[in-house]
Amino acid sequence: MNYINGTHQENIIFVVDDNPVNLKVLFTLLKESGFKVLVATNGTDALQKLQNVKPHLILLDVSMPNISGFELCKRLKASEKTADIPVVFLTALSDLEHKLEGLSLGAVDFICKPFQKQEVLSRICLHLKLSQLQQALHQQNQKLRNAVVEKESAEAELVKLNNQLEQKVSDRTQELSEAVTQLATQQAQLDYKANHDVLTELPNRAFFMERLQKILKQSDRDWTLLWLDLDNFKKINDSFGHIVGDRLLQRVAQRLQSVLGEEGIIARLGGDEFAILHPHEESNCDFGELAQTLINKLQRPFTLQHYIITVNASIGTIASIANYSDSTELLRDADFALYQAKSLGKGQYAILTPQLKIQSLERIQIETDLSRGMDRNEFCLHYQPIFSLKTKNLVGFEALIRWQHPKKGLLMPNRFIPIAEETGMVEKLDLWTLKTACDRLRLWKQEFGIDDTFSVSVNYSSVTLQSLERLASLDWSEYLQDLAPENLKIEITESGFWEASVAGMDVLKSLVDRRIKLCIDDFGTGFSSLSRLHSFPAQILKIDRSFVKRLDVGMGGLAVVQTITNLAQDLGMDIIAEGIETQEQLTFLENLMCNFGQGYLFSKPLSVTEATHLLSNYFPAEQNLHYA
């Protein structure tokens, strides 16, 4: 690089001075001399610009506000990015002490003010040349160091290769001696994985079934079988995620193992199901003690990833497996007992009895027959009359589903509706009931000329948001053809209103907007709903038969019904009392200004033929000649 006669276009000089006059002088001088010039008026500005550019030399004023030249130089030399840039101080100070301080901070020279053109250019060119020579020397030294390192590395590699050759001979001998051991270990691991659950490390279904079959055939001891299932485990996965769910299963397995100790066999069959075989002693007749101990152990809260989770378990128990020879039959019976335990609520156990087995088999048969029954039109509706307690006139019917089972005869809803709810068929039954009731009401309206005040009430069991949305989106013009919306009442249980989400309530309100009336069924089974009754989009309240029955007992029952009727009347709701069976109950309800009633005092549920005959008594033929 030529530093004489001004060929410096590739060299960048950075001038930092708070005096604009000095800046202008130096900028003009350096620019005319062929340098690229960058300027800054203070230390902060200089540091900011040095983030984006690296000059070949820095001219730095000593006296500046905020960050002095000395302080700025100290910072530059402390940074790896700028430490190697030559710094020349610009100063009016001439004392030796300040110059020594500047040089101690890493500066290479001083230029005194006022500036002498030739001095400035000479010093800059000198230090640029020195910087270039230093860089070249540094590069040469680095090459020498690299050569030495390469030589040492090559020597070390030769030693390493020699050692590797020697080691390979030794390793090969060791490998051959260990091969048999490794193969044996791998086979053991494969056998373990094939027989154990990956997540909990408990025996898996395959191992358990094989061991169970051997016990049934060969063991002289009797055993108790417990079939355990976590209650609502899917909600835990949905709420906390599968990682937490998996960790919970691991902790559950550990707790179960802590209860059993070395006795018995525990296996994870899949999902949240566990099976336990425990030695059975004839002297111990309390077969439920172990089941209850396991339930109590699992009910203690689990702390997982900052969550505190409480679980319950249902357990089906076979007290003795001695009378079984087939594992499939045994597990089927254990599943019967588990189903019974779940029907009792959360955290319960059930021991299989002959009666329970009969009930479970019957339930399975009903579940199988349900779908077939729908396809074969085995269902029918009975109609229980609803009367005005003031006029004693017939004002409507409640449509009640029945199943004309080909083998079991006429089945009441309590025999099949709970099973339909579990299997997801209940919504299909609900919609069939709604369609059939509307069709029947249309025929009665054509035959008897009944007006819009006469209605048929239909129970709707499905109260999930999805089922309610499907209900609201029905083609109501088809269902209500030739009917007024007021002719139809839809009954939803009190608990159904409680379980409906905010979105579900909005769907129910959309039905009310269609002028379809909603009725709260079985009201009174819990006082917790009284405070929220005003928020339910319903116009009719039906008092549960259990409270109507208490009217015969005394003033206690009367006080409850009176509270309910007063609240409903204040909210402008009609009231229907169900289950009226005595004249005394009727009198109480009339005195409480209850609007409507139904029950065996008036009539049992009627077949279509019987209900049609009853209608003919209240709507004589001569009133309906114009419908002929």
Side-chain angles (χ1 to χ4, degrees):
M1 182 182 301
N2 183 11
Y3 293 96
I4 308 300
N5 299 326
T7 55
H8 313 293
Q9 289 86 350
E10 66 273 25
N11 291 288
I12 301 173
I13 309 300
F14 189 14
V15 183
V16 184
D17 197 323
D18 63 330
N19 189 319
V21 175
N22 291 340
L23 281 179
K24 183 176 181 180
V25 169
L26 289 172
F27 181 85
T28 302
L29 172 61
L30 295 172
K31 198 72 175 176
E32 289 176 350
S33 299
F35 292 101
K36 292 183 178 180
V37 185
L38 179 69
V39 300
T41 59
N42 55 65
T44 301
D45 186 25
L47 290 173
Q48 182 66 35
K49 290 180 178 179
L50 286 171
Q51 296 295 319
N52 303 312
V53 68
K54 185 175 181 179
H56 294 86
L57 185 140
I58 299 174
L59 297 179
L60 178 59
D61 185 23
V62 172
S63 300
M64 293 188 296
N66 296 326
I67 301 177
S68 69
F70 288 158
E71 174 62 24
L72 181 57
C73 180
K74 183 179 179 181
R75 295 188 188 184
L76 295 177
K77 294 304 175 180
S79 171
E80 183 179 349
K81 183 177 180 180
T82 57
D84 61 339
I85 302 174
V87 176
V88 177
F89 277 122
L90 305 173
T91 179
L93 303 174
S94 59
D95 60 286
L96 179 62
E97 181 179 351
H98 282 92
K99 291 184 177 180
L100 289 175
E101 180 180 358
L103 293 173
S104 68
L105 293 175
V108 297
D109 204 350
F110 279 83
I111 297 177
C112 294
K113 301 176 184 179
F115 303 121
Q116 298 296 321
K117 174 178 178 182
Q118 192 58 43
E119 178 187 4
V120 170
L121 293 176
S122 296
R123 289 180 182 272
I124 288 175
C125 291
L126 172 63
H127 289 297
L128 287 174
K129 183 63 176 179
L130 287 174
S131 176
Q132 182 184 23
L133 291 174
Q134 287 175 346
Q135 291 177 7
L137 180 61
H138 175 76
Q139 291 174 357
Q140 185 64 31
N141 289 337
Q142 186 62 43
K143 289 180 179 179
L144 290 174
R145 283 194 295 270
N146 290 341
V148 172
V149 170
E150 288 177 1
K151 179 177 178 296
E152 292 175 348
S153 176
E155 292 174 349
E157 186 66 23
L158 288 174
V159 174
K160 180 180 178 182
L161 289 173
N162 185 57
N163 291 336
Q164 286 177 346
L165 288 173
E166 294 178 357
Q167 187 64 38
K168 281 184 178 181
V169 175
S170 175
D171 290 345
R172 184 58 178 167
T173 303
Q174 183 67 23
E175 287 173 4
L176 292 173
S177 66
E178 293 177 352
V180 175
T181 303
Q182 290 179 353
L183 288 174
T185 301
Q186 291 173 0
Q187 185 61 47
Q189 291 174 345
L190 290 173
D191 291 342
Y192 183 88
K193 290 180 179 180
N195 292 299
H196 287 78
D197 174 52
V198 176
L199 181 64
T200 63
E201 297 189 356
L202 291 175
N204 59 17
R205 176 183 287 271
F207 176 88
F208 183 81
M209 294 298 292
E210 181 181 352
R211 185 68 180 275
L212 178 60
Q213 195 63 41
K214 287 182 179 180
I215 289 174
L216 292 177
K217 290 182 177 180
Q218 302 172 5
S219 178
D220 295 331
R221 302 179 67 183
D222 197 5
W223 298 71
T224 296
L225 173 65
L226 300 98
W227 193 276
L228 183 149
D229 182 85
L230 300 181
D231 297 326
N232 296 327
F233 180 73
K234 182 179 182 298
K235 289 185 178 179
I236 294 175
N237 272 335
D238 293 343
S239 301
F240 302 101
H242 288 277
I243 294 177
V244 173
D246 287 348
R247 182 59 182 148
L248 177 62
L249 289 172
Q250 292 172 336
R251 295 282 296 277
V252 165
Q254 293 168 5
R255 286 198 185 177
L256 295 176
Q257 195 70 65
S258 70
V259 173
L260 296 171
E262 297 298 324
E263 289 192 339
I265 303 167
I266 175 172
R268 182 188 178 209
L269 303 184
D272 59 339
E273 284 190 334
F274 297 83
I276 298 167
L277 272 173
H278 196 268
H280 168 64
E281 301 296 340
E282 292 183 1
S283 59
N284 181 9
C285 298
D286 187 1
F287 302 120
E289 183 177 352
L290 177 59
Q292 190 61 57
T293 300
L294 293 171
I295 290 171
N296 293 342
K297 188 76 171 179
L298 293 181
Q299 285 176 339
R300 291 169 47 198
F302 293 86
T303 301
L304 300 169
Q305 297 186 4
H306 309 295
Y307 298 115
I308 298 177
I309 302 174
T310 302
V311 299
N312 275 301
S314 299
I315 300 178
T317 303
I318 306 294
S320 170
I321 68 171
N323 295 326
Y324 290 89
S325 59
D326 181 71
S327 58
T328 302
E329 180 183 357
L330 175 58
L331 295 186
R332 183 202 64 189
D333 286 358
D335 194 47
F336 290 162
L338 177 61
Y339 174 80
Q340 178 63 21
K342 285 186 171 293
S343 69
L344 298 175
K346 296 180 181 178
Q348 302 292 326
Y349 71 89
I351 300 174
L352 185 73
T353 62
Q355 181 61 31
L356 175 58
K357 187 172 180 178
I358 292 173
Q359 293 174 357
S360 298
L361 288 171
E362 182 182 74
R363 174 191 171 275
I364 291 175
Q365 188 60 53
I366 289 178
E367 182 178 329
T368 303
D369 292 345
L370 260 176
S371 179
R372 190 182 310 163
M374 288 293 294
D375 295 336
R376 296 180 178 180
N377 296 318
E378 293 174 359
F379 293 90
C380 63
L381 295 183
H382 282 197
Y383 298 87
Q384 185 167 38
I386 301 174
F387 292 88
S388 168
L389 299 190
K390 181 177 181 180
T391 65
K392 303 301 184 293
N393 285 336
L394 178 67
V395 296
F397 289 105
E398 179 181 3
L400 302 169
I401 192 170
R402 301 287 188 265
W403 184 3
Q404 190 63 54
H405 194 280
K407 295 181 180 179
K408 301 179 183 297
L410 191 66
L411 299 182
M412 297 296 104
N414 62 334
R415 294 283 301 278
F416 59 89
I417 289 297
I419 298 175
E421 290 176 339
E422 293 178 13
T423 57
M425 285 193 59
V426 70
E427 185 180 358
K428 189 174 182 180
L429 289 175
D430 284 343
L431 294 177
W432 177 88
T433 301
L434 177 64
K435 181 67 166 59
T436 304
C438 287
D439 291 344
R440 175 50 54 186
L441 181 59
R442 185 180 303 108
L443 293 174
W444 282 336
K445 192 167 187 178
Q446 294 171 355
E447 183 175 357
F448 299 106
I450 54 181
D451 59 24
D452 295 348
T453 62
F454 191 90
S455 62
V456 169
S457 300
V458 176
N459 292 284
Y460 199 76
S461 305
S462 301
V463 290
T464 65
L465 176 59
Q466 292 79 8
S467 66
L468 292 178
E469 287 178 339
R470 282 190 287 270
L471 176 65
S473 63
L474 292 177
D475 184 0
W476 286 100
S477 62
E478 176 185 351
Y479 281 76
L480 297 176
Q481 182 182 2
D482 298 328
L483 297 175
E486 293 84 356
N487 287 135
L488 178 63
K489 292 184 176 69
I490 296 178
E491 295 190 8
I492 298 176
T493 62
E494 174 190 6
S495 60
F497 275 95
W498 271 103
E499 293 170 3
S501 62
V502 174
M505 285 291 191
D506 292 338
V507 174
L508 292 175
K509 289 175 184 177
S510 71
L511 294 176
V512 175
D513 292 340
R514 295 177 181 270
R515 306 202 323 270
I516 296 170
K517 294 186 177 181
L518 298 182
C519 175
I520 305 174
D521 193 13
D522 299 336
F523 191 84
T525 54
F527 280 104
S528 59
S529 61
L530 291 175
S531 61
R532 268 191 60 189
L533 181 60
H534 68 280
S535 66
F536 295 162
Q539 304 93 332
I540 306 163
L541 183 149
K542 181 174 279 191
I543 302 174
D544 184 65
R545 66 181 67 249
S546 62
F547 285 88
V548 173
K549 186 176 182 179
R550 294 184 194 177
L551 292 175
D552 288 332
V553 177
M555 296 304 295
L558 177 62
V560 173
V561 177
Q562 186 172 20
T563 299
I564 296 173
T565 54
N566 288 342
L567 180 60
Q569 289 165 356
D570 290 342
L571 295 173
M573 302 177 72
D574 287 334
I575 306 167
I576 302 176
E578 64 177 0
I580 303 174
E581 297 181 354
T582 67
Q583 184 60 45
E584 184 179 14
Q585 294 169 357
L586 176 60
T587 301
F588 276 128
L589 291 167
E590 288 174 335
N591 292 336
L592 292 175
M593 306 297 290
C594 181
N595 307 95
F596 308 102
Q598 64 186 94
Y600 276 37
L601 180 65
F602 299 110
S603 172
K604 66 176 183 178
L606 305 174
S607 66
V608 171
T609 302
E610 293 169 331
T612 303
H613 179 71
L614 179 64
L615 277 169
S616 66
N617 293 334
Y618 284 88
F619 300 92
E622 58 268 17
Q623 296 181 13
N624 304 300
L625 293 177
H626 57 288
Y627 286 96

